[in-house]
Every structure is written in C-alpha cells, then in structure tokens.
Amino acid sequence: MKRTSIKNTRINGEVQKELSRIISREIKDPRIHAMTSVTQVSVTPDLKECKAYISVLGDEKAQADTLAGLTSASGYIRRELARSINLRNTPEITFCMDQSIEYAINMSKKIDDVMGKQTGSNESGE
C-alpha cells in the first residue's frame, strides 16, 4: 500500500474543498445535477494530475450528464482552482464517478429486507 505524505494529504483535502465549492456555487451548467458532491480527491505528488471522485444522487442519466458537464467545464474549474489555491502547478483534473454511496444504500436496503424477513418468521413461529 502506498503511503501518502502529510503534505499530499493536506493538498488533497484543500483541493476537495475548493472543487466542492466551485461545482456547487460557481458552475451554472444545467447538465450538472444539484445533488453532486466530491467524495474524494487524489492529487499526484508532482501536482500534475488530479482524480476527483464525484457522487451524484440521481439516476444513471443524471450521473452521465453531470460527468459530461464537469468534463466540459474542466478548464474553467482548473482556472478557478488556480485562483483560489496557491500551488506550484495546478493539476489537470480527471472526473470519475464514485458509486460507493449508491452501493452502500443498496446493501443497506438488502440487509433491512433480510432482517425484516427474519423477524417476520420469528414472530409467526412463536
């Protein structure tokens, strides 16, 4: 497992905070869903590239539209990021969909369904 330095961890957090602010407040693209959040950011140690993991609360079309909107606005987002964060290099941003929240919700529903069936069978068996 690759260890990240304290400096890189701090940069990741700052970039994530600023990306969240830029996406929620400054971009007016109608393709970008209102319930879009930046779940994780990974900036390379040389500050050349950045992977931003995006979570969208909505259907697959909303996710695809949001990803397309963010990709087309990546130049503007990078420029705003350069203005707000003083880094030696402003990283090139790649947006990726993060399915972990959706996966967790689905797993929670399945667990609730199984637990509901078990308590229902226990009550009827007694």
Side-chain angles (χ1 to χ4, degrees):
M1 188 170 135
K2 183 177 139 183
R3 283 188 48 186
T4 56
S5 68
I6 294 171
K7 176 185 169 191
N8 203 356
T9 303
R10 231 184 269 144
I11 290 171
N12 288 343
E14 193 65 28
V15 169
Q16 179 179 355
K17 187 171 67 171
E18 285 302 314
L19 279 179
S20 296
R21 181 188 63 78
I22 292 167
I23 290 170
S24 65
R25 296 189 184 134
E26 297 190 18
I27 297 180
K28 304 297 185 221
D29 193 332
R31 294 177 290 182
I32 298 175
H33 196 269
M35 295 299 289
T36 301
S37 60
V38 181
T39 57
Q40 184 181 356
V41 170
S42 176
V43 180
T44 57
D46 63 356
L47 304 176
K48 297 280 185 187
E49 297 176 10
C50 168
K51 270 192 178 179
Y53 294 91
I54 306 297
S55 177
V56 179
L57 190 63
D59 58 353
E60 289 183 19
K61 183 182 182 325
Q63 292 176 356
D65 288 348
T66 299
L67 198 57
L70 288 173
T71 303
S72 70
S74 64
Y76 172 77
I77 293 171
R78 186 176 183 203
R79 186 170 63 245
E80 289 300 312
L81 192 63
R83 287 182 184 160
S84 60
I85 299 177
N86 186 17
L87 294 173
R88 181 177 54 234
N89 298 318
T90 303
E92 190 70 39
I93 304 168
T94 304
F95 293 102
C96 306
M97 288 307 293
D98 183 10
Q99 304 292 343
S100 63
I101 295 173
E102 186 177 331
Y103 177 77
I105 290 171
N106 289 335
M107 290 304 290
S108 178
K109 286 179 185 176
K110 289 179 182 180
I111 291 170
D112 290 344
D113 290 346
V114 169
M115 294 303 289
K117 289 178 184 176
Q118 284 181 352
T119 57
S121 65
N122 287 344
E123 292 172 3
S124 63
E126 293 180 344

